[in-house]
Amino acid sequence: MEESVLELITQVLTENRITDKVYQSEEYKRAKEEEGKVYNTLISDLNEEQKQRLDDFIGSTTWSAAIWERMAYQQGMRDFLELLKSLL
C-alpha cells in the first residue's frame, strides 16, 4: 500500500511540479535550443531512412532515460520517507 501511494505521489510531482520548474529554467531553454541546432545539423546530411532510424533511437533513449529519472526520484522519496520515519 505504501509503495502504491508513494508511486502516485511521485508521479504527480514529476509530471507537474518538476515539469513546471524545468520549463521555467533559462539553462534548460538554452540547452534545448542547442539540442535543436545540433539535431538539425545532423539530420541535414541524412536520407529519410537514416532520419527515421535516428528518431527511433532518440525516442528509445529518451524513454529509458525518463524511466531512470522517475525511478531515481522515487528512490529518493523512499529514502526521505525512511529518514523521516527514523526520526519519529
Side-chain angles (χ1 to χ4, degrees), residues 39 42-43 46-61:
Y39 177 80
L42 175 63
I43 65 166
L46 303 178
N47 64 40
E48 289 306 313
E49 182 180 348
Q50 292 168 326
K51 288 177 187 178
Q52 185 59 52
R53 287 181 182 173
L54 177 63
D55 286 343
D56 292 346
F57 171 76
I58 291 170
S60 294
T61 57

Side-chain angles (χ1 to χ4, degrees), residues 2-88:
E2 182 178 302
E3 183 76 19
S4 62
V5 170
L6 182 61
E7 294 219 5
L8 288 171
I9 290 169
T10 56
Q11 180 180 357
V12 169
L13 292 175
T14 55
E15 289 179 1
N16 296 330
R17 293 183 64 221
I18 292 174
T19 300
D20 291 344
K21 291 290 183 188
V22 167
Y23 288 145
Q24 292 173 9
S25 166
E26 289 301 318
E27 182 180 20
Y28 177 78
K29 289 176 186 175
R30 286 191 304 274
K32 288 303 284 182
E33 287 175 11
E34 182 64 21
E35 179 185 305
K37 289 176 189 175
V38 171
Y39 177 80
N40 289 333
T41 301
L42 175 63
I43 65 166
S44 67
D45 296 331
L46 303 178
N47 64 40
E48 289 306 313
E49 182 180 348
Q50 292 168 326
K51 288 177 187 178
Q52 185 59 52
R53 287 181 182 173
L54 177 63
D55 286 343
D56 292 346
F57 171 76
I58 291 170
S60 294
T61 57
T62 301
W63 180 33
S64 64
I67 292 168
W68 177 282
E69 291 167 9
R70 178 179 44 83
M71 291 175 72
Y73 185 84
Q74 288 174 338
Q75 185 60 48
M77 292 293 287
R78 283 186 199 95
D79 294 344
F80 180 67
L81 183 58
E82 288 302 316
L83 175 64
L84 289 178
K85 285 180 180 180
S86 72
L87 295 174
L88 298 176

